[in-house]
Amino acid sequence: DGGITQSPKYLFRKEGQNVTLSCEQNLNHDAMYWYRQDPGQGLRLIYYSQIVNDFQKGDIAEGYSVSREKKESFPLTVTSAQKNPTAFYLCASSFDSREAFFGQGTRLTVV
Amino acid sequence: AQRVTQPEKLLSVFKGAPVELKCNYSYSGSPELFWYVQYSRQRLQLLLRHISRESIKGFTADLNKGETSFHLKKPFAQEEDSAMYYCALSPANSGGSNYKLTFGKGTLLTVNP
């Protein structure tokens, strides 16, 4: 089943802890994205990557970090510096800025 | 900077009525515009993109560069059109220099029977 896979589906984190969300794609897409989806806020871009070993900050990058060591993988780390991390996180990939394919999302809750 | 504005958070229409979801954008260069849709319990997916100039599920959207708008229209709404709709913008691909994809806040469309 080709596509983009996010894991886990649900994640709980204690305050002060870092946590990493996984995103893997087998579509051979160059570009990958991380968005945060909050009610009434739409999708806000956290980070995006156009090519391996390169990534750019989006509109709300503070408190987050990413890596792009492999074309297939674009993990997102939510650090303790993120003031309000409880949210729904969406990963996407695209070929050459055309249609973006989205994962099922990860719901992160800080407890 | 690139920005997408969807002025309506909620839109409710009756089955068979025309529907228009508004989208305005701000971008200094040449943009590529998209409409994405998220049905209940499904992944966000592409509905249509302006360069395709096609009608998908009866929906059309025309890019108006003068008004910087990309409104989504359908002449006769169906109950199955009920979903969250997002307008999105990306710099037009010119050598693959910038793939930043920015979304609006979305409009929740409800089509009543």
Side-chain angles (χ1 to χ4, degrees):
Chain A
D1 183 24
I4 183 162
T5 303
Q6 290 184 242
S7 62
K9 193 172 182 180
Y10 299 97
L11 190 56
F12 296 89
R13 188 195 92 174
K14 292 183 179 179
E15 282 196 41
Q17 286 183 338
N18 292 354
V19 64
T20 297
L21 284 61
S22 171
C23 179
E24 303 277 333
Q25 54 99 358
N26 61 4
L27 300 168
N28 201 33
H29 286 167
D30 288 315
M32 296 188 74
Y33 308 83
W34 274 106
Y35 293 90
R36 172 178 170 141
Q37 189 176 31
D38 296 285
Q41 295 292 323
L43 275 72
R44 291 183 290 170
L45 183 62
I46 304 172
Y47 270 97
Y48 65 108
S49 169
Q50 299 175 177
I51 197 168
V52 174
N53 292 323
D54 187 38
F55 48 83
Q56 287 77 41
K57 291 182 178 180
D59 301 313
I60 56 164
E62 185 176 350
Y64 299 97
S65 66
V66 293
S67 63
R68 187 83 187 277
E69 297 176 2
K70 298 187 299 181
K71 189 175 187 178
E72 303 79 21
S73 179
F74 191 41
L76 173 74
T77 296
V78 184
T79 75
S80 56
Q82 170 50 235
K83 301 300 181 192
N84 185 22
T86 294
F88 190 64
Y89 292 88
L90 280 170
C91 180
S93 70
S94 73
F95 174 68
D96 202 18
S97 82
R98 295 181 187 134
E99 179 179 0
F101 290 82
F102 282 83
Q104 291 275 35
T106 293
R107 184 165 298 281
L108 172 64
T109 303
V110 174
V111 296
Chain B
Q2 55 192 72
R3 187 183 301 123
V4 176
T5 302
Q6 293 180 251
E8 304 140 328
K9 284 189 178 179
L10 303 169
L11 184 61
S12 182
V13 300
F14 285 103
K15 177 183 174 181
V19 63
E20 181 180 49
L21 288 81
K22 291 184 167 49
C23 173
N24 289 92
Y25 67 90
S26 173
Y27 181 61
S28 56
S30 181
E32 188 161 351
L33 275 298
F34 309 83
W35 275 100
Y36 282 79
V37 60
Q38 190 168 28
Y39 300 103
S40 180
R41 301 189 192 87
Q42 293 187 28
R43 299 186 187 207
L44 192 60
Q45 59 187 289
L46 178 70
L47 179 62
L48 55 80
R49 50 196 302 225
H50 87 271
I51 64 171
S52 299
R53 295 183 175 273
E54 56 189 347
S55 174
I56 305 292
K57 299 185 178 182
F59 285 98
T60 59
D62 291 318
L63 178 60
N64 186 324
K65 291 188 177 181
E67 296 182 359
T68 59
S69 68
F70 188 57
H71 303 326
L72 183 67
K73 301 177 184 179
K74 185 170 183 176
F76 307 104
Q78 302 299 315
E79 289 181 67
E80 55 265 30
D81 296 328
S82 295
M84 179 69 85
Y85 291 81
Y86 292 96
C87 183
L89 178 153
S90 177
N93 184 26
S94 54
S97 61
N98 188 346
Y99 293 175
K100 185 178 183 181
L101 182 61
T102 301
F103 285 79
K105 293 188 176 183
T107 298
L108 179 62
L109 174 66
T110 302
V111 181
N112 301 296

